[in-house]
Amino acid sequence: MSPTTETLTAERILEATEEVLRRHGPAKATVVDVARALGVSHGSVYRHFRTKAALREAVTQRWLDRTSGALSAIVAQDRDPEARLREWLSALFEAKRHKAGDDPELFATFSVLTGENSRVVDQHIEDLTAQLTEILRDGAVRGAFTPALDPVVTARAVFHATGRFHDPAYAGEWGRPGIEAEFEAVVDLLLRGLRAAGRSGA
Amino acid sequence: MSPTTETLTAERILEATEEVLRRHGPAKATVVDVARALGVSHGSVYRHFRTKAALREAVTQRWLDRTSGALSAIVAQDRDPEARLREWLSALFEAKRHKAGDDPELFATFSVLTGENSRVVDQHIEDLTAQLTEILRDGAVRGAFTPALDPVVTARAVFHATGRFHDPAYAGEWGRPGIEAEFEAVVDLLLRGLRAAGRSGA
DNA sequence: CAGCTGACAGATATTGAAAACTGTCAGCTG
DNA sequence: CAGCTGACAGTTTTCAATATCTGTCAGCTG
């Protein structure tokens, strides 16, 4: 039962690939490296993943799904939709910032896929906007947010409007001093726009 | 009075550089090319611009200033601040879109400078947010926008929130089908947030 | 015989030598 | 003598040869 004699599964390949990507980065990590880390030939890896791109995408998907999963807990909370939306956006920003800082090589892989308009990234964005839609819909039902706005369209608008704080293209600016204040200003403005008429402002 | 015997001025060098950049793009355009286009030695170009970077920046600044100038006319209009803001944002989006489409090589130069956090790009952003601030301040005075928000901070928030529609990092998405609707959704939401309480919604 | 191997063809990346470019400056020229 | 030239040193880019990688598959192995 030593690791090298265990059956070769997609899961084990994903773990090894994540490790190789973490060490070498997306530009240098090769399928041969992954196979070597697992003590098998690279042909075996191709038995589980049709192409190198599919492997990269699977690793990235797993990695992104961890974020979506953590955020969905906030959506499920039973409290003030406005506070929930604020916390959700804040958590998304934090998550992306930490990923960029703690796992720069995996983050670079994610950035590459974003630039390539990968299906995986599109799916991630759909997951996130679906969560936003859920909060907005609930907020409208509870009377916290105006019912005048279509939740699906508005969720996408909120997501795009906060792109500076979660899109990897901006990762370089997430370390700047005033970034937190910028985030607050954008979120405050968006929340003003979402609130039902008759509720007090800031 | 033939062009080749005219005095060599910064202005003539800028024109020639713009032409060379348009033809070759930022990666291939050289100072030697610019000098050749002007019929002088490259040493003469260095008499007017200390480095190649300074030359690129001067060309880009001129190019960006044309946009700021056109937009300032909208700021100066004497009409409903909300309509003015809408038109200003729309004009900014259009201007960037056309620049990206009509002058791809000059736009690429601008994108390079953006990625390098050039002083020229920072100045351009300051110009634009100053114009936004002006509209917001005027809107607050006229009672169209809520006075609860600091115009300077809010102008930056509006600028960041609409980044998807003017930041060169997103140029690749400006040709997509739904982009206009996305733009409208974001602007509608922001305007709801800006409006003074007691005014009717959408 | 299910799963793995390793040789292979074509594609991609690396390397290092040669070419081109940037920025300087002593001296030429009108 | 103000303005321009062109040779030059140091750096960057180009290009072609070489090495490595991707993806396939016939055949080996437990």
Side-chain angles (χ1 to χ4, degrees):
Chain A
M1 268 236 183
S2 92
T4 52
T5 59
E6 259 177 60
T7 320
L8 186 62
T9 59
E11 181 60 24
R12 281 190 64 219
I13 293 173
L14 287 177
E15 276 164 24
T17 305
E18 187 166 323
E19 189 52 33
V20 168
L21 277 172
R22 226 188 284 276
R23 231 191 280 287
H24 298 85
K28 299 261 194 178
T30 72
V31 176
V32 173
D33 290 333
V34 173
R36 187 171 19 246
L38 288 162
V40 299
S41 90
H42 75 279
S44 301
V45 174
Y46 280 98
R47 178 161 295 279
H48 292 86
F49 295 92
R50 229 190 318 3
T51 64
K52 183 187 182 178
L55 183 53
R56 267 193 326 190
E57 293 195 349
V59 170
T60 305
Q61 179 161 51
R62 235 173 52 131
W63 189 68
L64 292 175
D65 283 352
R66 278 179 233 151
T67 299
S68 317
L71 290 172
S72 69
I74 296 172
V75 177
Q77 284 172 9
D78 183 24
R79 63 176 174 120
D80 177 23
E82 181 167 329
R84 229 187 311 162
L85 178 53
R86 209 178 265 279
E87 186 180 334
W88 190 92
L89 289 170
S90 197
L92 176 60
F93 184 22
E94 271 309 293
K96 294 288 177 183
R97 251 207 310 191
H98 275 120
K99 277 193 198 284
D102 301 346
D103 255 349
E105 300 293 11
L106 283 185
F107 191 81
T109 305
F110 164 44
S111 298
V112 168
L113 293 186
T114 302
E116 288 169 358
N117 283 104
S118 159
R119 202 207 92 251
V120 167
V121 174
D122 288 350
Q123 182 59 56
H124 179 58
I125 291 171
E126 274 175 44
D127 287 353
L128 294 178
T129 53
Q131 292 191 15
L132 267 178
T133 302
E134 184 61 26
I135 298 177
L136 294 182
R137 213 188 301 269
D138 189 46
V141 168
R142 296 196 189 197
F145 297 150
T146 174
L149 300 166
D150 173 353
V152 172
V153 170
T154 309
R156 291 178 59 82
V158 170
F159 190 76
H160 289 144
T162 52
R164 182 177 174 83
F165 311 106
H166 53 69
D167 192 310
Y170 289 104
E173 320 211 345
W174 295 343
R176 287 194 185 180
I179 194 78
E180 288 287 354
E182 288 178 9
F183 175 76
E184 293 301 330
V186 169
V187 173
D188 286 350
L189 184 56
L190 292 175
L191 282 171
R192 278 187 67 96
L194 290 171
R195 274 199 278 267
R199 296 213 158 198
S200 73
Chain B
M1 262 231 189
S2 94
T4 51
T5 58
E6 261 177 58
T7 320
L8 186 62
T9 61
E11 181 61 22
R12 283 190 65 219
I13 293 173
L14 287 177
E15 275 166 24
T17 305
E18 190 168 319
E19 190 51 33
V20 168
L21 277 172
R22 227 188 283 275
R23 233 192 278 287
H24 298 83
K28 299 261 195 175
T30 72
V31 176
V32 172
D33 289 333
V34 173
R36 187 168 23 245
L38 288 162
V40 301
S41 90
H42 74 279
S44 300
V45 173
Y46 281 99
R47 176 161 296 280
H48 292 86
F49 295 93
R50 232 197 304 12
T51 65
K52 182 187 182 177
L55 182 53
R56 267 193 327 191
E57 295 196 348
V59 169
T60 305
Q61 179 161 50
R62 235 172 52 131
W63 190 67
L64 292 175
D65 283 351
R66 278 178 234 152
T67 298
S68 318
L71 290 171
S72 70
I74 297 172
V75 176
Q77 284 172 8
D78 182 24
R79 62 176 176 121
D80 178 22
E82 182 167 329
R84 231 187 309 164
L85 178 53
R86 208 178 264 279
E87 186 181 333
W88 190 93
L89 289 170
S90 197
L92 176 60
F93 184 22
E94 271 308 293
K96 295 287 178 185
R97 249 206 311 192
H98 276 120
K99 276 193 200 283
D102 301 346
D103 256 348
E105 300 295 12
L106 283 184
F107 191 80
T109 305
F110 165 44
S111 299
V112 168
L113 293 186
T114 302
E116 288 169 357
N117 283 106
S118 158
R119 202 208 92 252
V120 168
V121 175
D122 289 349
Q123 182 59 55
H124 179 58
I125 292 171
E126 274 175 45
D127 287 353
L128 293 178
T129 53
Q131 292 190 16
L132 268 178
T133 302
E134 184 60 26
I135 298 177
L136 294 182
R137 213 189 300 270
D138 188 46
V141 168
R142 296 197 191 195
F145 297 150
T146 175
L149 299 166
D150 174 353
V152 172
V153 170
T154 308
R156 292 177 59 83
V158 170
F159 190 77
H160 290 145
T162 52
R164 182 176 175 80
F165 311 105
H166 53 68
D167 193 309
Y170 289 103
E173 320 210 347
W174 295 342
R176 288 194 183 180
I179 194 78
E180 289 287 352
E182 289 178 7
F183 175 76
E184 293 301 329
V186 169
V187 172
D188 285 350
L189 185 55
L190 292 175
L191 282 172
R192 278 187 68 94
L194 290 172
R195 274 199 280 267
R199 294 214 159 197
S200 75

